[in-house]
Amino acid sequence: MILQYQAAIIGGGPAGLQAALTLGRMHVETLVFDDVRYRNVSSSQMGNVLGWDGAAPAALRSAAHSELAAYPCVRIVQQRVDSVREEGSGLVLVTSDSEWSVERLLIASGVEDALLPIPGVHELWGDVVLPCPYCHGHEFASGPIAVISDGSHAEHVGGLLRGLSSTVPVIAPENVAAVTRSVAGVRIMLHDGGVTEVACVFIPPNPIPRSTLANDLGIRSGRDGIEVDALGRTNRVGVWAAGDVAKRADPRIPAAIITALASGLAAAADIAASVAIARDLPGS
Ligand SMILES: Cc1cc2nc3c(=O)[nH]c(=O)nc-3n(C[C@H](O)[C@H](O)[C@H](O)COP(=O)(O)OP(=O)(O)OC[C@H]3O[C@@H](n4cnc5c(N)ncnc54)[C@H](O)[C@@H]3O)c2cc1C
């Protein structure tokens, strides 16, 4: 089955949902594909999100879905896009049971984190082993906060955390045997037999894209994500990127919910403008 839509969004996280809202408000026929593997799924609380500070990430998504239900031109499909191919001036997205013909595409498929291979890190990720001091440091400020990292990441994150806690041990990853939950928060066991108790631990997130569809379309990307301009445009006309999968203008800007929302809005505004231009073309 082939269906024709003015725009499609791959990813129903903050970037994709905000883009869907903007496109819905501009009456652009929009599909949102989401296979629900959100980056922050292991965290029970969000921090540094104005209006939602301390709320559950699922609460924001659920509110977004309720709001989007008021826009009949937006359809959310809870399926993975398995592949994409060019057809004429548009694209065909392939899911397990359908093919969807779309004129424009926003890639908002997010990233996953290749975590340090230290026993316990995966289990505690998003809870007391954390990526971002802006998102979670404040809640643990009454206790020691460790950084398991080295190089410039350890310097940068350690420097930020010293504004929150008076005790910020920085431990090289190769010295750590395991981390476990403890009454204080986290127990760090070292290879030399030493033990450090802290309220929480920060590690480098090491993000990698959740989807390789951009590569299949020949879209330029690097270690920091898909290359985009300020409007989220990629090097391929008709394809935009937003959220964590897109390269930020400056790596010091946090990859966070607010920045994902903002980039989703910017890309969607440009998509809506391109729909308007196409509508006004002679003969259309
Ligand atoms: C542990 C942790 C905690 C965090 N806590 C905070 C916090 O407290 N505050 C804050 O501001 N930020 C926080 N962040 C950062 C925040 O989660 C991200 O910046 C934000 O989720 C990025 O939004 P996104 O829409 O780009 O991607 P995501 O939220 O990851 O959403 C992308 C969606 O696209 C889907 N997808 C991918 N490929 C496909 C495909 N082929 N077909 C269909 N769907 C697909 C994914 O399954 C996913 O559902 C945290 C990050 C981590 C790792």
Side-chain angles (χ1 to χ4, degrees):
M1 175 183 28
I2 297 225
L3 300 164
Q4 180 86 40
Y5 282 82
Q6 290 173 306
I9 299 167
I10 300 180
L17 292 175
Q18 173 61 53
L21 179 60
T22 304
L23 291 171
R25 294 185 61 78
M26 297 312 293
H27 297 194
V28 175
E29 291 291 335
T30 302
L31 280 168
V32 183
F33 295 95
D34 190 26
D35 69 350
V36 295
R37 293 176 302 147
Y38 309 107
R39 185 179 184 191
N40 60 351
V41 72
S42 59
S43 281
S44 59
Q45 289 191 342
M46 297 175 290
N48 203 23
V49 185
L50 188 65
W52 293 88
D53 203 36
L60 186 148
R61 287 192 294 269
S62 161
H65 280 246
S66 302
E67 288 170 7
L68 288 171
Y71 298 89
C73 57
V74 175
R75 177 171 170 194
I76 297 180
V77 181
Q78 282 207 346
Q79 284 184 31
R80 180 165 185 77
V81 176
D82 293 319
S83 64
V84 53
R85 66 171 188 272
E86 310 207 12
E87 205 163 277
S89 61
L91 298 165
V92 174
L93 308 186
V94 181
T95 58
S96 58
D97 59 5
S98 293
E99 297 201 340
W100 314 77
S101 169
V102 303
E103 292 166 7
R104 297 162 192 82
L105 175 63
L106 172 62
I107 301 173
S109 44
V111 297
E112 57 187 317
D113 297 285
L115 301 177
L116 290 173
I118 296 173
V121 158
H122 182 78
E123 291 75 5
L124 302 181
W125 179 238
D127 176 16
V128 285
V129 174
L130 299 157
C132 164
Y134 302 104
C135 301
H136 291 103
H138 167 79
E139 288 70 23
F140 300 95
S142 58
I145 299 177
V147 180
I148 301 180
S149 183
D150 46 22
S152 57
H153 177 268
E155 251 173 59
H156 175 64
V157 173
L160 288 171
L161 291 170
R162 277 189 279 278
L164 303 182
S165 169
S166 55
T167 310
V168 183
V170 175
I171 306 171
E174 63 270 23
N175 294 338
V176 180
V179 294
T180 57
R181 248 252 173 238
S182 68
V183 177
V186 189
R187 179 169 302 136
I188 304 171
M189 276 128 353
L190 304 175
H191 285 301
D192 69 4
V195 172
T196 304
E197 295 274 353
V198 292
C200 71
V201 168
F202 284 81
I203 63 168
N206 195 18
I208 49 173
R210 273 221 190 268
S211 160
T212 56
L213 295 175
N215 296 344
D216 301 345
L217 289 171
I219 287 171
R220 257 198 312 269
S221 63
R223 269 196 66 231
D224 299 333
I226 296 174
E227 289 183 21
V228 289
D229 69 9
L231 296 170
R233 294 177 183 178
T234 69
N235 61 303
R236 190 203 181 278
V237 174
V239 181
W240 288 254
D244 284 1
V245 75
K247 183 175 174 179
R248 280 159 285 142
D250 187 310
R252 291 169 295 187
I253 300 169
I257 290 163
I258 293 289
T259 41
L261 293 170
S263 64
L265 164 67
D270 196 47
I271 293 171
S274 105
V275 170
I277 290 166
R279 193 190 310 115
D280 292 343
L281 281 178
S284 59

